Amino acid sequence: MTITESDLPGVGKKFEIELDDGEMIVVIHNTGKRELFYRPEPSADSEKTFEFGDDLARTIGSIIEGAHFQPLEPATQETTLPGGILLEWYELPPGSPLVGETLESADIGNRTGLAVVAIQRGDEVIDSPDAGTVLREGDTVIGVGTRENCEAFEELLTE
């Protein structure tokens, strides 16, 4: 998937996203308004498909990204933040050496470079968990790091 980004002076930014059957164009205005266009082929005119205000666009974006519901498959989701940093979700499998450890004793940051920013436990979300937070089987650990940090954490999950 190719995404090109360009400045629209005085307006905002434009993102062109290649699709299997055309191209999606997202224009983000400096005011927060978002406009989505669809172009079925490069020589065709773009057709405006949606327009959202800032709050509605952010809400829809968080739903699409999976902030409100995590699909059962794949087991991990990947969200790339600016600068190539990843935001990922990992479920602690049965038998993981991390189960029963506190964040401090697991030493995840020093061992992998991944920063744990939240833990989802059932319907509860523990944001900014402290060092004494105990990891439990089935917890979903939400972490931020480089691809290498994430790969190191994946290995740590199943050592």
Side-chain angles (χ1 to χ4, degrees):
M1 173 176 45
T2 302
I3 302 173
T4 54
E5 175 184 334
S6 58
D7 290 326
L8 297 175
V11 176
K13 289 260 186 195
K14 178 172 79 174
F15 298 88
E16 298 172 273
I17 305 160
E18 276 186 24
L19 305 173
D20 289 339
D21 62 345
E23 183 178 53
M24 179 187 315
I25 298 141
V26 179
V27 176
I28 302 177
H29 292 253
N30 292 330
T31 62
K33 180 174 83 175
R34 271 79 160 175
E35 295 176 300
L36 275 64
F37 299 87
Y38 174 71
R39 184 181 319 165
E41 56 188 63
S43 62
D45 289 334
S46 299
E47 297 176 26
K48 187 175 183 177
T49 55
F50 297 104
E51 179 179 316
F52 304 108
D54 189 49
D55 288 343
L56 181 57
R58 290 177 189 273
T59 300
I60 292 170
S62 69
I63 290 169
I64 291 171
E65 189 171 80
H68 301 271
F69 172 74
Q70 293 298 312
L72 298 178
E73 293 185 19
T76 61
Q77 293 79 40
E78 183 177 282
T79 299
T80 305
L81 302 172
I85 300 298
L86 301 177
L87 174 66
E88 291 218 41
W89 289 255
Y90 300 95
E91 184 172 328
L92 265 65
S96 170
L98 298 178
V99 172
E101 296 282 338
T102 63
L103 287 177
E104 182 177 23
S105 65
D107 201 20
I108 295 168
N110 286 328
R111 293 169 72 187
T112 68
L114 187 84
V116 176
V117 295
I119 297 171
Q120 183 173 3
R121 181 172 291 153
D123 293 333
E124 177 190 11
V125 175
I126 305 167
D127 60 347
S128 303
D130 63 37
T133 302
V134 176
L135 297 167
R136 297 182 188 167
E137 180 181 312
D139 280 354
T140 299
V141 174
I142 303 164
V144 175
T146 64
R147 182 163 306 283
E148 293 77 24
N149 301 149
C150 293
E151 290 170 358
F153 184 69
E154 288 175 27
E155 289 179 22
L156 186 62
L157 276 175
T158 58
E159 278 184 343

